[in-house]
Amino acid sequence: MNPVPGEGSLDTPLMFVGEGPGEGEDNTGRPFVGRAGQMLNRLLKEVGLERDRIYITNVVKCRPPGNRVPTNQEMSACSHFLMAQIQIVNPKVIVALGATALSFFLEKKVSITKMRGKLIEWVAGKYIFPTFHPSYLLRNRSTGPGSPYDLALQDMRKIKELYEKYRKI
Ligand code: URA
């Protein structure tokens, strides 16, 4: 079992935060390299945002057994890593991928369907932007207007705009 700390630019306004590593991530030690990662790459490509221009990590750094949702205890045991990453990278916007990451940041159970696509002030001068988890898009294969994929693409366009607004170089 490999820990999966995260990877990407340390000089970026955008940090993407997923739930926790899956099998492919566990094998390689890299975040979002499996099927969910391919979906994330597809969305990034669609809007012209290069993966190496953002930072990507997860709430928990080790794969929960059987890919289950990490427990609150596991999330709090790992939270000092994520907080340190946020301090080092200092992103303007944290893209919360799915309800688990969003609930972690907001410290309450939330509906990703209701919250996605909106910029939420998290702490002074730092924002959370929630969107669907890429795995959810894989479970809902339709890509037509109003589908989860379509909504996620709309979100990603906004995320690209936020990148352009807050990029340093
Ligand atoms: N799902 C996640 O939440 N994170 C990964 O790194 C891969 C799949």
Side-chain angles (χ1 to χ4, degrees):
M1 178 160 123
N2 287 308
V4 183
E7 66 180 22
S9 170
L10 301 182
D11 192 23
T12 179
L14 294 184
M15 180 182 281
F16 283 57
V17 180
E19 184 174 295
E23 190 180 4
E25 293 75 22
D26 185 33
N27 289 336
T28 57
R30 296 182 55 213
F32 283 98
V33 294
R35 287 184 64 233
Q38 309 279 303
M39 176 54 84
L40 179 62
N41 291 347
R42 175 174 162 189
L43 288 164
L44 290 170
K45 198 161 180 218
E46 284 271 358
V47 304
L49 186 55
E50 283 158 50
R51 188 171 152 132
D52 61 6
R53 303 247 169 176
I54 61 177
Y55 192 85
I56 307 181
T57 187
N58 286 294
V59 177
V60 299
K61 312 305 187 192
C62 292
R63 183 188 184 199
N67 287 345
R68 62 162 169 72
V69 177
T71 63
N72 286 338
Q73 200 188 5
E74 287 163 344
M75 292 195 277
S76 49
C78 267
S79 66
H80 64 105
F81 293 117
L82 182 54
M83 291 309 155
Q85 288 171 310
I86 293 170
Q87 221 164 38
I88 292 164
V89 179
N90 194 24
K92 192 75 183 167
V93 179
I94 295 170
V95 177
L97 295 168
T100 303
L102 181 60
S103 302
F104 170 81
F105 285 110
L106 301 186
E107 297 180 83
K108 58 180 180 200
K109 274 232 166 301
V110 285
S111 158
I112 190 72
T113 308
K114 285 195 193 131
M115 307 280 285
R116 57 146 282 277
K118 288 181 238 166
L119 204 56
I120 302 161
E121 188 160 33
W122 178 49
V123 293
K126 274 202 198 308
Y127 300 89
I128 304 286
F129 188 95
T131 188
F132 290 133
H133 193 286
S135 300
Y136 176 68
L137 310 179
L138 291 168
R139 292 194 298 270
N140 294 265
R141 298 302 305 203
S142 116
T143 55
S147 64
Y149 180 84
D150 181 47
L151 299 175
L153 190 54
Q154 290 175 29
D155 291 350
M156 199 60 89
R157 290 200 182 100
K158 287 193 195 159
I159 292 165
K160 173 74 180 344
E161 282 170 20
L162 291 166
Y163 173 80
E164 295 299 341
K165 180 169 173 189
Y166 291 120
R167 64 189 276 186
K168 294 163 211 154
I169 37 162

